[in-house]
Amino acid sequence: MALIVQKYGGTSVGNPERIKNVAARVAKYRAKGDQVVVVVSAMSGVTDNLIKLAKEIMPLPNEREMDVLLATGEQTTIALAAIALHSLGLPAVSLTGAQAGIVTDGVHTKARIQNITPQKIHDLLNEGNVVIVAGFQGQTTEGQVTTLGRGGSDLTAIALAAALKADLCQIYTDVDGVYTADPRIVPGARKLEEISYDEMLELASLGAKVMQSRSVEFAKKFGVVFEVRSSLNENPGTIVKEETKNMESVVVRGVSLDKNQAKVTLVAVPDKPGVAARIFKAIGDSNVNVDMIVQNISHGSGAPATDLSFTVDKPDLLKAQKVIDGLKEEIGFGKVISTDKIGKLSIVGVGMKSHTGVAGKMFDTLAREGVNIDMISTSEIKISVVIDLAKGEAAMRAVHAAFLG
Ligand code: ADP
Ligand code: ASP
Ligand code: MG
């Protein structure tokens, strides 16, 4: 008998038929004597729709209220999934994040899990129930509803697998596993049998939304091995685990494109100590994550000034602009130019540690495609470039063909 955590994403619970399929799959594991904890997302499109509704009322809605709103999506599916299991004659109980003992900090819309008290889940399992937990949500110690950032049901599943010391953690989605690139954009992408935490983490943070990046971070920290697989068939998926020796023989494991970034450029920022610190401290204090930062060399006559560009997640752009506007007088920069028409294209692979010439090949491929590179950033296992959004997908296919074709 094994204890299994299974997570089903939005498409996998997208309509009553799909929810019945989930129940049938769970029933198969129960019939083998396994204990099953099911984590579900909101039905596909529901979270986006709730956000849209709120923004129709006000462009920057209060984040506490957004969490109260968004948590309803998952609350619908836990009940429907429990009802689907009941229809098969299986005892099942649905739990909200709070009821499941998921305690988070108070950073609304991107809360971090602080601890999980899984006693209630264990008790319900031991009474013979399938336990269905709402993904993406938790509660602060003061009883405030929180959510864990977009795609956060993955994190719920991985964190529960760690807290429950589950034997198996399966992430069911609408593709067969983790591919060398998003198969919807790159038809030639191939499914990977396995991938290291670090590579998965980079791909996820760089736009491969098949896994939420924080969930991969968590899995690495607590050593949770998990499988990404399809809820629509029985094909084996992709195992995500610690790096093994032979993984380094592959230079580039995958290519990703993040279309969810925006760029802010401050023109003519005074080039003197403390200015960058002031800007990024204020942005950090508003809980906006800054990714890439590029500062040009000083220009102009008179007092030295420079242009400073940085990227943020698209949904944070308004918030970042507001913070920057508030600093204009104090710091005294020129105009602010923002655009969300950028894409961040990245290649990832632990093999880059031991191979050279990778950046040159990537830039050469982009040059041949007529793609201009706006910003560059690298780490030991990735190279990212910011490019024009309109050319993003074609550039991704070209780079995939060059390294993985
Ligand atoms: P779920 O609702 O199950 O959480 P998501 O939509 O969040 O599913 O993630 C699955 C999607 O991720 C796939 O449909 C696919 O288009 C996309 N995707 C992006 N990059 C990759 C990749 N490298 N491998 C597999 N899928 C990817
Ligand atoms: N429903 C949430 C979202 O769409 C969480 C998830 O699907 O994992 O982001
Ligand atoms: Mg997802």
Side-chain angles (χ1 to χ4, degrees), residues 7 9-10 41-42 47-48 74 135-136 149-154:
K7 178 256 170 175
S41 289
T47 308
D48 286 340
E74 271 68 13
F136 177 56
R150 296 305 307 269
S153 301
D154 294 333

Side-chain angles (χ1 to χ4, degrees), residues 17 30 36 40 50 58 63 75 132 138-139 184 204 224-225 233 257 289 308 325 352 369 374 394 398-399:
E17 213 46 52
R30 284 296 291 133
V36 189
V40 286
L50 292 170
M58 190 181 177
E63 291 180 332
Q75 213 162 316
I132 301 162
Q139 196 182 44
R184 291 180 208 286
V224 179
V225 175
N233 60 46
L257 176 65
N289 288 326
L308 183 68
D325 287 344
M352 281 186 211
E369 281 292 306
D374 205 11
V399 167

Side-chain angles (χ1 to χ4, degrees), residues 7 9-10 41 150-154 171 173 209-212:
K7 178 256 170 175
S41 289
R150 296 305 307 269
S153 301
D154 294 333
I171 307 290
T173 183
K209 71 162 188 167
V210 61
M211 285 300 297
Q212 188 215 30

